[in-house]
Amino acid sequence: MLETTKERAGMPAVSATQGRATGTAAANGSGNAETRRRRAGRPSAAVLDKTGITAAALELVSRKGYDGLTMAALAKQLDVAPSALYNHVASKRDVLLLVEDHLMSLVDVSGFGASVWEEAVRTWAWSYRNVFAEHTPLIPVIAVLPVTDAPQTLAMYEAISKGFLDAGFPESRVVSSIVALESFIFGSAYDVTAPEDIFEPGTMAESTPHFTAAVRSLGGPPSSERPADTAFSLGLEALISGLGALRG
Amino acid sequence: MLETTKERAGMPAVSATQGRATGTAAANGSGNAETRRRRAGRPSAAVLDKTGITAAALELVSRKGYDGLTMAALAKQLDVAPSALYNHVASKRDVLLLVEDHLMSLVDVSGFGASVWEEAVRTWAWSYRNVFAEHTPLIPVIAVLPVTDAPQTLAMYEAISKGFLDAGFPESRVVSSIVALESFIFGSAYDVTAPEDIFEPGTMAESTPHFTAAVRSLGGPPSSERPADTAFSLGLEALISGLGALRG
DNA sequence: CTAATAAATGAATGGCATTCATTTAGTGGT
DNA sequence: ACCACTAAATGAATGCCATTCATTTATTAG
């Protein structure tokens, strides 16, 4: 799907299976003691493609986190020499972009066209935040990423834009509104990963009485929500009503 | 003057000036060809302290960006061996925390106590965003940073908390409201650094008609504002009115 | 006075992304 | 059917980076 240039001849089936075969390759690599050394030179069937690299990167991240996502580890997961990756991606950043675009397809935009605007935005925003809360290291990359060759990302923006226009937003305010919401979502994704006691004032509690009191009051009525969820809900509802008020 | 071996006797002034002397040390280091090698062993007057390290890191960042902020480069800037830094900070992350806390003191909280709540939040939020737009690599660090030993950061939170309480916010909602605003601010800081043409759909323009139209309409009436500022203003005003409505 | 501690140097160490020369296999043109 | 070209792999560097350790020297506490 991302598949670019020439996946043309021969066996598309093999190539198609390739992406999914990642797990298998890894299983072979670790489970089977006698994984033959592949000899140098081009193999008869290509071992790598972007789909497979993306899948392997995602599995690696879910097992070891982003610290574990190194080109060497990725190569190992794919049972390949590290340098082989560079026949398919120009840099590690490219790998991150592949992962990012894949994740965008997991964001739920189904509300647009099915529910009223407010509810569609709610569904989208929560889903978007939840997906990237697990992938915060991608945020600095996404936030500056030209959308140009990220098809899933573009698809998401298209769905949302249509939803906003149908809801009566003037064309000129659609992008700004989306950007504002997205900024809030990215910031909130970080918040999810913060430790619970992030605001404990420690030794300086006495010099910060108002802040300390506010923090302590959080522990009061044991809300069933995580603090990050409370803040996200609060901000999201404020944005929804504030932005929604500007429709034509 | 910070010079080498024979600086022992006398001048405590040197040590006191140390923090601010960073620039001078650097100027000596590069400007003067014959910077004497400091011999091994503890020098009579300490060369490093946290203030100096912070100042040097900030200068380095402003000259070379965060990619240029390496422990080696920082050491060079301070005319010191890289390993010497580890007598004062435990890790590079520590250096980033020093920088972060310093930057917090640049955020304008003067509106709280001087203006109505809405205006105070506006001043604070714009200032906060503008400071960190130049320092986005710190955001992943801040967002998860326990506030405990960051005095400037705590001071900022105290000022804001007081402002919210005085404006009639119930104690239990102060932290959530601040977190919501902060999340939006962090996300928006990234947005400032994004390229102007980040949303150009490129080849896929035809498959994303609504989004493409929305993007194109931005170029229409040439607003004097940068797009990032428009989106920030839009979202901030929505948050201010949405959160403000919940006061007691 | 002496032991402990603090603050510097300089020489590793191991991990990392990336590059390059080399090998082998498929492909397109004549 | 050959041949040049390109694609895709290996394996061996390269250079940068944060961090650690042994060592040296100076200050400070008991």
Side-chain angles (χ1 to χ4, degrees), chain B residues 2 40-41 59 75 78 84 101 128 144 153 164 180 190 208 217 245 247-248:
Chain B
L2 257 189
E59 185 180 328
L78 289 159
D101 197 51
Y128 198 172
V144 177
T153 306
F164 276 56
Y190 281 118
T208 60
S217 78
R247 281 181 284 180

Side-chain angles (χ1 to χ4, degrees), chain B:
Chain B
M1 22 174 60
L2 257 189
E3 270 344 17
T4 53
T5 37
K6 45 323 205 14
E7 214 57 45
R8 45 174 116 257
M11 353 182 56
V14 169
S15 175
T17 322
Q18 186 46 45
R20 303 267 134 250
T22 300
T24 308
N28 281 348
S30 55
N32 196 341
E34 25 120 9
T35 313
R36 281 264 174 284
R37 207 125 232 38
R38 194 181 0 251
R39 82 173 187 279
R42 180 181 185 169
S44 307
V47 177
L48 295 178
D49 65 4
K50 288 189 183 179
T51 311
I53 291 172
T54 307
L58 274 164
E59 185 180 328
L60 199 48
V61 164
S62 78
R63 277 198 296 111
K64 312 269 190 170
Y66 276 87
D67 283 352
L69 179 56
T70 68
M71 294 302 271
L74 185 54
K76 192 172 190 181
Q77 172 95 7
L78 289 159
D79 190 27
V80 146
S83 53
L85 293 168
Y86 289 88
N87 288 321
H88 301 267
V89 296
S91 64
K92 181 174 180 179
R93 184 165 194 275
D94 269 17
V95 175
L96 296 180
L97 296 191
L98 288 173
V99 171
E100 183 267 329
D101 197 51
H102 173 84
L103 292 175
M104 283 293 185
S105 72
L106 304 181
V107 175
D108 185 356
V109 295
S110 68
F112 293 101
S115 313
V116 294
W117 177 81
E118 284 84 352
E119 189 54 26
V121 171
R122 232 171 249 128
T123 303
W124 166 69
W126 278 96
S127 148
Y128 198 172
R129 184 202 70 145
N130 288 340
V131 167
F132 281 97
E134 313 265 291
H135 297 274
T136 53
L138 291 180
I139 293 178
V141 176
I142 311 170
V144 177
L145 166 70
V147 109
T148 308
D149 29 36
Q152 303 299 321
T153 306
L154 266 171
M156 187 190 76
Y157 284 128
E158 171 64 9
I160 300 165
S161 297
K162 180 161 190 316
F164 276 56
L165 289 168
D166 288 350
F169 276 80
E171 225 171 42
S172 64
R173 221 171 357 239
V174 168
V175 172
S176 299
S177 300
I178 293 175
V179 167
L181 281 161
E182 225 180 6
S183 295
F184 175 66
I185 288 164
F186 288 154
S188 298
Y190 281 118
D191 195 38
V192 174
T193 76
E196 293 272 337
D197 64 336
I198 186 174
F199 286 128
E200 271 310 315
T203 31
M204 321 191 79
E206 291 132 36
S207 49
T208 60
H210 300 91
F211 176 61
T212 299
V215 171
R216 299 270 187 264
S217 78
L218 287 180
S223 164
S224 59
E225 274 181 324
R226 282 181 307 174
D229 289 350
T230 306
F232 185 67
S233 177
L234 195 61
L236 180 59
E237 296 306 321
L239 282 168
I240 286 175
S241 69
L243 296 176
L246 299 176
R247 281 181 284 180

Side-chain angles (χ1 to χ4, degrees), chain A residues 58 61 66 95-109 123-145 150 152-154 156-157 160 181-194 226 232, chain B residues 140 143-144 190:
Chain A
L58 274 165
V61 164
Y66 276 86
V95 174
L96 296 180
L97 297 191
L98 288 173
V99 171
E100 183 267 328
D101 197 52
H102 173 84
L103 292 175
M104 283 292 184
S105 73
L106 305 180
V107 175
D108 185 355
V109 295
T123 303
W124 166 70
W126 279 97
S127 150
Y128 199 171
R129 185 202 69 146
N130 288 340
V131 167
F132 281 98
E134 314 264 293
H135 297 274
T136 53
L138 291 179
I139 292 179
V141 175
I142 311 170
V144 177
L145 167 70
Q152 304 299 322
T153 306
L154 267 171
M156 186 190 78
Y157 284 128
I160 300 165
L181 281 161
E182 224 179 8
S183 295
F184 175 66
I185 288 164
F186 288 154
S188 298
Y190 281 119
D191 197 39
V192 173
T193 75
R226 281 180 307 172
F232 185 67
Chain B
V144 177
Y190 281 118

